[in-house]
Amino acid sequence: MAFTFAAFCYMLTLVLCAGLIFFVIWQIIAFDELRTDFKNPIDQSNPTRACRLRPPSDLVVPEYSIHGLFCLMFMCAGEWVTLGLNTPLFFYHLWRFFHRPADGSEVMYDPVSVMNADILNYCQKESWCKLGFYLLSFFYYLYSMVYALVSF
Amino acid sequence: MSTAGFNSQNGTGTGQTYTNGPSQNPVALQQPPGVGYGMNHQPAYNPMQAKVLGPPSPALYASGPYQPVPPGPQLGSYPPPPAQPLLTRPQIGVLPSHTPPQSASPGPGPRQAQATPPAQATPPPPAVTSTSYYTGPPAWQYAAPWGPAPNHVNPAAAAPPHMSHGSAQLPGPGAPPTSIHGYPQPGTAPPPMNPPPPHTYQPNRPAYGPPPTAPPAGPPGATGTPPPPKVDAQCWRAASSARPPTEPDTQEGDVECPGDVAGNGPQAPNSYNHVDNRMAGAAQPGPPGRHLGHYPSLPPGYQNTLAPPPSSLHPALQAATLPYTQGPQPYQQPGGPGPDQLSPSMAAMSLQSGTPEALRVVNLLQERNLLPPAPVPAPTPCLTQDLQKLNCSPEVFRCTLTSIPQTQSLLNKAKLPLGLLLHPFKDLSQLPVVTSSTIVRCRSCRTYINPFVSFLDQRRWKCNLCYRVNDVPEEFMYNPVSRSYGEPHKRPEVQNATIEFIAPSEYMLRPPQPAVYLFVLDVSHNAVETGYLSVFCQSLLDNIKALPGDSRTKVGFITFDSTIHFYNLQEGLSQPQMLIVSDIEDIFLPTPDSLLVNLNECKELVQDLLKSLPNLFEKTMETQSALGSALQAAFKLLSPTGGRMSVFQTQLPNLGVGALQSREDPNQRASAKDVQHLSPATDFYKKLALDCSGQQVAVDLFLLSAQYCDLASLGCISRFSAGSVYYYPSYHHQHNPAQVERFQRDLKRYLTRKIGFEAVMRIRCTKGLSIHTFHGNFFVRSTDLLSLPNVNPDAGFAVQMSIEENLDDMQVVSFQAALLYTSSKGERRIRVHTMCLPVVSSLSDVFAGADVQAVTGLLACMAVDRSVTSSLSDARDAMTNAAIDSLSSYRQSALTIQQPGLLAPACLRLFPLYILALLKQKAFRTGTSTRLDERVFAMYQLKYQPLAFAMLIIHPALYRLDDLSDEGALNINERTIPQPRVLQLSVEKLSREGAFLMDAGLVMYLWIGRNCHQNFLSQVLGVSSYAAVPEKLCLLPELDTAESQRTRALVSWLRDQRPFFPSLHIIRDESQLKPHFMQNMIEDRTESALSYYEFLLHLQQQISK
């Protein structure tokens, strides 16, 4: 029974991972709404609706930074296996971040092009994959936390 | 039969759109309204007419509408005007107590009701007075202020708008009625055909209102064949002083009446129309007498009967016993002796035998002369003639594959893009407008009822998009055209693929907005130097009365340099008041109420301002430009109402928000390497455009600059707010008269053209198909919904489609584009286009249905996207690969006999040529010096222009002018328009003895050969010798010689066909512009690009690899 730094990391990541899962579910819902916008032509022209359909860009940077924090903490704690599991996604995030639309701050999802079927499909798939990954890693962190707490 | 008596006018010419429930006015849908229409249609049309109608009843349909007979004899069949003075607008208002037919005569006795008490058969909705447009209770008054609109209208001022809106009987509120009308000189030239006396309008009326007492003996056929002058009469009212006094909503400024077409020849919107008609071909809604909706193959004899179908001829039965004719249809050259000449059944039989012309194998390497002598026609979908007649005009709605492949894998095999090209708000000269309290739509997918639905029985119809069975509303059972009951399939909605509805109030979320125009003008030193301001002010002064709108129209002005200047134009001021805001970082509106003013009330002040504006900044030394802040201010000003913002910019914005840096390196213009900076430098403009889009504000950008202006960044403001971009490189009032003229003409068209506000467009397609990507200027709000703050008649759209589910059990699929907009008169309208296409299962059928122009247009749009997201070279490769892939797929899969050479089906024979033309187009070319702005503008044009004009921009047309003859000439409005052959774009076709006209869409070049005939020089150009041709000549002199007249007729006819003004440059061998001319010689080799033959060899090499 030892409350090591590693155990602390796992506890923190456990909480944050729940947050990430929430973010991703939020994104999935948002994309789904985009795709199946209900077809009532009467309120088509409601100008306020245009804003609602801005994709969930604001959650993207928090998600990326939280995941970056995971990697940093696991590195500090010397949890190399966990770090190894997370690095692919970390590099993917880096790649996404630096290949975002060239003109700046709409971080990931450009509202004018996200309705393109290819991009929308891609974003949806990406969200589902991430959801799976975060769910699995949640249980992995739980297990690792308990393991870190009980050993020694 | 159902001569579609409803309004045959275009969208807004709606004197006929009565609010009387299901009843429409039987005005002559049947005959072509314009002179050009009738004349042009004659060849293709009459044979079919004769064929379908057969001899028995020629008198009823009488091909009369197509004959330029004087109105007299046909008018004779109408009650004389004095007998029917009552059938004008107020009369309809007087009959509000009429009940709809369902209450009057429910159940099975409808036809009696039609015969005896006719008054009951045309039920105006109860509460309608002549002041309300909407069938429902008018939910709000026009003059009523709403929202936080800067409404400075005091109660006293609020009354007149309402009144003048409702009844034009007012002696003339403000402007005289003619001035409200869009055309300043409606009567400059009498329409050449049947100028109807003013009163001819009235005999027309009986058809709308309660059935007259004296119309010829009830047979609907008689009412159904109104003679052509009627339509002219409809429009002629503008010129006639004796116009019926109560036509409130026919005074649309933006009416495009065919009569006006005849009247003002060269005016852009009008003359544009009848050309449309000419090109629309057989797909234009013809006489509804021949439209049998979903009865694909009714026996001709049946089609003649005017009586309602016997119950045994049940629609379902019909459909079951006479299925769609399948099989490849020969490629039809319009006008040629083809299957049109045969009877439908004969044609159907002949369709099934023989190889279709579209699939004739062409060896591109051997056949040199592939270009048809006339513009390439759109291919006809392989549908039964009855369906095809109903189908949407290819001018409006076009598909890259007129035969839809059954599965996505088949589509992938064909390697051709599947997509639609739309021109949804096109000026149409013949557009049925329907007013009814309920708009019949599918309950599950909300599709509007259209000609391609099937009626299971009289009470139920099956949606052709989602296949749900819907009920036919009671009201729909009544056919206002024939005034009979129980014929829902003969309603105008089911007889016309393009139709417009006046939407009831459920289609509004707020009161229809007024027309609001805000002009944002650059007045920095650079701008003053170009001298555009005086041209703009003069144009606006000239056209201020023609601005589309009603009594609520508002205008405002903002000028900017390093500060923002607002103009207080409030009523009561003696002169406009300029308010300067220098805090550009935190922009605010100095007096929010009086910056946007009612045009009618403050016209003098506005005119004063326009007169003084050019002088106001004459001596300015301010060189900076705070465009971003000006746009923000304009957005703040417009956001309560929405409207149109026209921005005039002459330099790179370099101050405040949205400031840009020059990104172009002039040394890299000709580089063969990749072109950088095609994507925007900042997202400021895009974000602002999205905000604008949310508030129903569209931004149109006029860029007049010799310097780099970063159109790639600036253009976003228009692109995502559904505006349009105009670019005048090197504009200068003295040095560049051609651009000045172009700017003037474009402005005139821009200011006076029709406009739709707060619009959305939804594109629906049959289950199984889905929309992949949109191209054009808009914001995509949902997978199938475009948000268009403004929609204008010159905007085109493209849509990529994909096949998500197999279309195995379908024989046809349909596409429907519905555009919901607010007209400039504050009416909510829905314009619906429906297109029906066959589904095929074999690859050769897919190839046979390929529409090479549409494919090229769509590929161009895709390539533009690719070059922005990826790189230009990527886009170029992709285009080349598209040609290689489709031709090799054809060779491998569709071709049975393998021959050497580069083989293509006849319908795709121009494909490699068009691809090569795209590669050499300004947008995609490399190795030739191209300014970045011009390249980006060319890309915008490819995405924005409707297909017909985009094709000219891609592949210019070359004509020889020195031997023009009247052989095969068109005759429009008594002007003879010679039709020279379209030549290949190769120097080999030029000769030093000739003079050649190259029509490249936005610009025309007239190249004079060194040894040009003396005759041509003196008779057309008015010069004595070749050496005397001036260096910069942009105008053909008006000489009174046959040659000059012919040449000018051709040039002005070409110009009239398009909504923008191409400037003409007359060039000699030594001219500076000669390289531009030569760059368009697509088939020739240049230093950096392959010749056509080399390109073919390259393709062949890649294919055989």
Side-chain angles (χ1 to χ4, degrees):
Chain A
M1 192 73 189
F3 190 76
T4 57
F5 180 63
F8 170 74
C9 284
Y10 280 120
M11 287 166 83
L12 192 63
T13 48
L14 205 58
V15 176
L16 290 177
C17 196
L20 285 185
I21 291 171
F22 170 74
F23 283 3
V24 174
I25 290 178
W26 183 279
Q27 282 183 18
I28 288 174
I29 292 174
F31 283 122
D32 206 54
E33 259 184 21
L34 270 184
R35 181 181 284 277
T36 57
D37 186 30
F38 60 92
K39 301 191 176 188
N40 184 358
I42 291 171
D43 59 357
Q44 271 171 11
S45 56
N46 186 346
T48 59
R49 295 268 311 274
C51 311
R52 188 180 68 79
L53 293 174
R54 297 284 173 79
S57 292
D58 5 342
L59 291 185
V60 171
V61 172
E63 183 199 328
Y64 288 9
S65 24
I66 287 174
H67 190 261
L69 181 72
F70 284 8
C71 296
L72 188 73
M73 286 196 305
F74 291 133
M75 198 172 71
C76 295
E79 293 289 326
W80 305 114
V81 178
T82 319
L83 182 66
L85 290 177
N86 274 296
T87 32
L89 185 63
F90 179 70
F91 283 113
Y92 174 73
H93 280 166
L94 281 183
W95 178 82
R96 282 281 287 185
F97 189 76
F98 288 107
H99 285 78
R100 65 184 189 270
D103 54 6
S105 57
E106 291 286 349
V107 177
M108 289 304 128
Y109 305 114
D110 186 3
V112 298
S113 63
V114 77
M115 292 311 302
N116 181 314
D118 281 340
I119 296 179
L120 196 58
N121 280 338
Y122 180 82
C123 291
Q124 267 191 321
K125 270 185 203 145
E126 186 198 31
S127 305
W128 279 110
C129 291
K130 275 190 188 172
L131 180 64
F133 178 80
Y134 288 142
L135 273 177
L136 287 179
S137 45
F138 180 83
F139 290 110
Y140 175 76
Y141 297 152
L142 188 65
Y143 166 79
S144 305
M145 181 192 75
V146 175
Y147 186 81
L149 283 176
V150 295
S151 59
F152 304 102
Chain B
M1 60 181 242
S2 67
T3 42
F6 48 93
N7 172 14
S8 67
Q9 298 294 328
N10 63 75
T12 45
T14 60
Q16 302 76 16
T17 56
Y18 289 162
T19 48
N20 46 359
S23 139
Q24 283 83 35
N25 36 3
V27 184
L29 169 71
Q30 179 156 13
Q31 80 289 358
V35 179
Y37 186 96
M39 185 267 315
N40 289 310
H41 256 248
Q42 221 153 3
Y45 201 63
N46 266 342
M48 302 213 306
Q49 177 114 339
K51 160 203 62 186
V52 176
L53 295 173
S57 63
L60 285 178
Y61 295 88
S63 62
Y66 299 91
Q67 295 167 356
V69 288
Q74 284 170 341
L75 287 176
S77 67
Y78 285 79
Q84 291 293 331
L86 60 161
L87 291 160
T88 44
R89 202 53 182 267
Q91 288 298 328
I92 297 214
V94 166
L95 300 170
S97 59
H98 281 309
T99 45
Q102 56 266 39
S103 56
S105 57
R111 286 177 201 131
Q112 293 171 357
Q114 162 217 357
T116 42
Q120 290 178 338
T122 56
V128 169
T129 66
S130 61
T131 53
S132 86
Y133 289 133
Y134 305 106
T135 52
W140 33 65
Q141 299 294 339
Y142 292 111
W146 63 83
N151 203 319
H152 56 281
V153 184
N154 52 38
H162 178 59
M163 293 191 45
S164 64
H165 206 61
S167 95
Q169 275 176 330
L170 284 181
T178 43
S179 69
I180 297 172
H181 203 273
Y183 305 104
Q185 324 92 339
T188 45
M193 190 174 84
N194 314 329
H199 67 265
T200 50
Y201 188 38
Q202 289 172 352
N204 215 3
R205 312 301 282 173
Y208 310 155
T213 49
T223 53
T225 54
K230 289 304 190 299
V231 174
D232 281 351
Q234 294 275 334
C235 310
W236 190 246
R237 66 188 178 273
S240 69
S241 55
R243 193 184 62 230
T246 52
E247 281 279 317
D249 48 354
T250 53
Q251 298 184 3
E252 289 266 0
D254 44 352
V255 171
E256 296 90 22
C257 301
D260 283 351
V261 170
N264 331 349
Q267 250 194 358
N270 313 337
S271 32
Y272 183 34
N273 284 337
H274 61 72
V275 173
D276 297 342
N277 282 331
R278 185 185 76 85
M279 295 162 83
Q284 276 279 351
R290 305 175 304 121
H291 286 182
L292 283 162
H294 39 277
Y295 300 93
S297 21
L298 290 181
Y302 172 68
Q303 303 187 7
N304 277 333
T305 56
L306 297 164
S311 55
S312 64
L313 279 178
H314 205 262
L317 280 176
Q318 292 278 338
T321 51
L322 298 160
Y324 296 113
T325 313
Q326 290 284 301
Q329 186 166 16
Y331 181 67
Q332 293 178 20
Q333 294 287 346
D340 340 14
Q341 308 264 339
L342 309 168
S343 75
S345 52
M346 288 280 288
M349 282 200 292
S350 73
L351 298 182
Q352 283 154 354
S353 58
T355 315
E357 161 68 19
L359 279 180
R360 183 172 58 85
V361 181
V362 178
N363 187 347
L364 296 174
L365 289 170
Q366 278 169 8
E367 287 192 42
R368 179 90 178 84
N369 237 336
L370 293 171
L371 214 58
V376 184
T380 322
C382 170
L383 292 165
T384 56
Q385 292 214 344
D386 291 313
L387 277 181
Q388 184 49 40
K389 266 177 245 151
L390 291 171
N391 221 345
C392 199
S393 154
E395 289 284 286
V396 170
F397 219 141
R398 211 155 151 178
C399 186
T400 55
L401 301 177
T402 53
S403 305
I404 304 290
Q406 231 172 27
T407 60
Q408 179 73 33
S409 63
L410 190 61
L411 175 62
N412 292 344
K413 226 189 258 174
K415 305 273 188 195
L416 288 167
L418 175 61
L420 305 171
L421 289 114
L422 287 108
H423 190 177
F425 204 52
K426 183 178 165 49
D427 288 331
L428 296 168
S429 56
Q430 194 181 27
L431 174 65
V433 179
V434 170
T435 308
S436 80
S437 52
T438 53
I439 295 176
V440 181
R441 305 176 63 177
C442 173
R443 287 178 56 137
S444 83
C445 67
R446 308 300 292 158
T447 301
Y448 296 84
I449 196 165
N450 60 68
F452 311 107
V453 302
S454 44
F455 281 89
L456 300 179
D457 54 40
Q458 283 205 346
R459 289 295 182 171
R460 290 181 304 154
W461 61 278
K462 193 173 176 188
C463 175
N464 54 335
L465 269 65
C466 67
Y467 300 108
R468 183 195 157 103
V469 177
N470 294 275
D471 290 338
V472 176
E474 186 66 33
E475 195 183 349
F476 203 74
M477 298 296 289
Y478 172 75
N479 183 3
V481 175
S482 59
R483 291 199 216 105
S484 56
Y485 187 82
E487 294 178 355
H489 53 277
K490 290 186 182 167
R491 290 269 307 195
E493 292 91 329
V494 190
Q495 295 288 339
N496 292 281
T498 293
I499 197 161
E500 188 155 293
F501 297 96
I502 311 267
S505 53
E506 305 98 76
Y507 289 81
M508 311 168 196
L509 283 165
R510 57 174 189 176
Q513 68 163 84
V516 181
Y517 305 110
L518 178 64
F519 299 95
V520 182
L521 306 162
D522 182 3
V523 292
S524 60
H525 177 72
N526 193 31
V528 174
E529 195 68 4
T530 60
Y532 87 92
L533 207 52
S534 54
V535 173
F536 164 77
C537 290
Q538 195 54 47
S539 280
L540 188 53
L541 274 175
D542 293 344
N543 295 305
I544 199 156
K545 289 173 181 162
L547 279 179
D550 55 10
S551 55
R552 304 178 300 158
T553 307
K554 288 180 173 186
V555 292
F557 297 87
I558 290 178
T559 57
F560 65 95
D561 40 31
S562 62
T563 54
I564 316 292
H565 320 132
F566 297 89
Y567 294 88
N568 185 347
L569 298 167
Q570 193 164 29
E571 222 181 349
L573 289 176
S574 58
Q575 60 178 22
Q577 197 179 16
M578 184 159 99
L579 307 161
I580 300 178
V581 173
S582 52
D583 182 9
I584 56 168
E585 292 302 325
D586 183 21
I587 200 78
F588 63 95
L589 300 180
T591 57
D593 286 348
S594 49
L595 300 177
L596 271 182
V597 294
N598 188 302
L599 180 61
N600 290 337
E601 290 161 13
C602 305
K603 193 169 272 170
E604 284 75 25
L605 275 180
V606 170
Q607 282 168 337
D608 279 357
L609 174 66
L610 287 175
K611 279 173 195 151
S612 59
L613 209 51
N615 307 324
L616 212 53
F617 297 96
E618 225 167 19
K619 302 212 167 60
T620 183
M621 293 311 283
E622 190 56 72
T623 54
Q624 288 182 306
S625 162
L627 175 68
S629 312
L631 289 174
Q632 282 179 331
F635 168 64
K636 278 189 183 169
L637 197 52
L638 280 182
S639 53
T641 49
R644 181 174 81 184
M645 188 195 302
S646 316
V647 180
F648 295 79
Q649 171 72 3
T650 62
Q651 58 171 321
L652 198 66
N654 49 13
L655 199 65
V657 286
L660 298 169
Q661 266 99 43
S662 179
R663 296 189 290 168
E664 189 188 30
D665 178 4
N667 300 325
Q668 295 294 315
R669 277 181 194 158
S671 113
K673 283 185 295 180
D674 254 348
V675 179
Q676 302 295 315
H677 307 308
L678 290 172
S679 52
T682 162
D683 68 342
F684 170 78
Y685 295 99
K686 185 173 80 184
K687 279 181 161 171
L688 189 60
L690 295 184
D691 290 340
C692 286
S693 177
Q695 299 298 324
Q696 307 293 355
V697 177
V699 186
D700 294 327
L701 179 66
F702 289 79
L703 201 58
L704 311 103
S705 166
Q707 306 296 322
Y708 174 71
C709 267
D710 203 350
L711 185 59
S713 304
L714 286 186
C716 289
I717 189 82
S718 297
R719 211 176 130 197
F720 301 120
S721 67
S724 36
V725 178
Y726 294 82
Y727 179 47
Y728 303 89
S730 315
Y731 182 91
H732 194 277
H733 62 119
Q734 281 168 344
H735 306 326
N736 204 338
Q739 291 284 30
V740 175
E741 192 191 9
R742 213 185 115 210
F743 180 56
Q744 266 173 336
R745 301 293 190 98
D746 282 355
L747 257 186
K748 183 177 163 67
R749 162 80 185 165
Y750 173 76
L751 293 171
T752 56
R753 73 185 175 191
K754 226 173 112 117
I755 183 169
F757 295 99
E758 42 186 4
V760 285
M761 180 164 75
R762 201 183 275 278
I763 297 172
R764 297 183 174 86
C765 40
T766 297
K767 204 167 59 178
L769 294 167
S770 74
I771 294 173
H772 188 276
T773 310
F774 290 97
H775 301 278
N777 291 357
F778 47 73
F779 173 60
V780 192
R781 206 193 286 172
S782 166
T783 37
D784 57 352
L785 182 71
L786 301 182
S787 153
L788 305 165
N790 281 5
V791 60
N792 71 65
D794 306 335
F797 300 89
V799 185
Q800 271 171 264
M801 313 282 306
S802 55
I803 302 172
E804 295 212 320
E805 296 165 32
N806 290 355
L807 309 168
D808 290 333
D809 47 350
M810 301 176 197
Q811 283 168 333
V812 291
V813 291
S814 304
F815 304 90
Q816 187 171 70
L819 178 74
L820 173 66
Y821 68 98
T822 302
S823 79
S824 53
K825 297 279 183 269
E827 277 179 305
R828 205 76 174 134
R829 285 164 169 260
I830 309 165
R831 188 173 290 192
V832 180
H833 306 282
T834 317
M835 180 173 62
C836 178
L837 293 175
V839 176
V840 296
S841 55
S842 83
L843 195 59
S844 56
D845 287 343
V846 175
F847 276 111
D851 179 347
V852 65
Q853 290 198 318
V855 168
T856 313
L858 189 63
L859 276 177
C861 291
M862 294 160 68
V864 171
D865 274 1
R866 179 70 75 90
S867 46
V868 174
T869 55
S870 178
S871 71
L872 195 67
S873 57
D874 233 27
R876 289 169 57 88
D877 290 347
M879 283 189 287
T880 318
N881 288 339
I884 293 169
D885 289 346
S886 58
L887 290 184
S888 69
S889 154
Y890 172 73
R891 191 188 178 99
Q892 284 161 10
S893 315
L895 211 56
T896 44
I897 316 150
Q898 295 292 333
Q899 301 165 268
L902 182 61
L903 306 178
C907 59
L908 283 180
R909 68 196 188 284
L910 295 174
F911 193 38
L913 178 62
Y914 286 154
I915 292 293
L916 182 67
L918 272 177
L919 294 176
K920 294 188 177 184
Q921 222 273 330
K922 223 178 238 175
F924 302 112
R925 69 187 178 195
T926 53
T928 314
S929 177
T930 311
R931 293 160 74 180
L932 193 51
D933 276 348
E934 290 188 23
R935 186 187 293 276
V936 172
F937 181 66
M939 288 184 173
Y940 275 126
Q941 291 295 304
L942 288 178
K943 282 197 132 192
Y944 175 76
Q945 290 292 350
L947 183 65
F949 311 125
M951 280 320 293
L952 267 185
I953 294 172
I954 294 168
H955 187 270
L958 183 70
Y959 307 99
R960 182 165 187 159
L961 282 197
D962 60 326
D963 55 357
L964 286 182
S965 72
D966 286 344
E967 194 184 324
L970 289 177
N971 204 329
I972 296 174
N973 299 353
E974 291 180 355
R975 281 194 315 162
T976 308
I977 319 275
Q979 296 289 297
R981 259 188 82 89
V982 177
L983 302 174
Q984 283 167 292
L985 289 168
S986 166
V987 176
E988 136 199 16
K989 295 284 172 190
L990 300 179
S991 86
R992 283 174 180 244
E993 284 79 40
F996 293 84
L997 180 74
M998 177 185 283
D999 176 10
L1002 294 168
V1003 62
M1004 291 184 188
Y1005 299 103
L1006 175 55
W1007 181 82
I1008 311 289
R1010 187 174 290 274
N1011 304 328
C1012 185
H1013 289 302
Q1014 186 59 37
N1015 191 33
F1016 183 83
L1017 290 174
S1018 58
Q1019 304 289 311
V1020 177
L1021 298 176
V1023 295
S1024 54
S1025 68
Y1026 174 76
V1029 177
E1031 172 69 22
K1032 274 189 177 176
L1033 186 60
C1034 303
L1035 203 64
L1036 286 171
E1038 296 198 12
L1039 302 177
D1040 198 18
T1041 57
E1043 290 85 353
S1044 171
Q1045 273 168 4
R1046 272 194 211 117
T1047 313
R1048 282 184 287 122
L1050 177 67
V1051 171
S1052 67
W1053 177 75
L1054 288 173
R1055 278 177 171 165
D1056 291 347
Q1057 284 183 54
R1058 56 201 80 165
F1060 44 87
F1061 182 82
S1063 45
L1064 174 72
H1065 298 281
I1066 297 169
I1067 53 173
R1068 300 184 297 167
D1069 260 349
E1070 305 82 35
S1071 297
Q1072 285 174 351
L1073 287 169
K1074 194 186 170 212
H1076 293 268
F1077 177 75
M1078 288 305 170
Q1079 272 160 13
N1080 283 330
M1081 289 295 174
I1082 285 159
E1083 302 199 10
D1084 291 337
R1085 191 197 162 97
T1086 63
E1087 295 148 25
S1088 53
L1090 300 175
S1091 74
Y1092 179 54
Y1093 192 74
E1094 287 167 326
F1095 184 66
L1096 290 180
L1097 287 178
H1098 172 70
L1099 293 186
Q1100 191 193 17
Q1101 194 189 355
Q1102 295 292 320
I1103 287 170
S1104 55
K1105 234 194 248 176

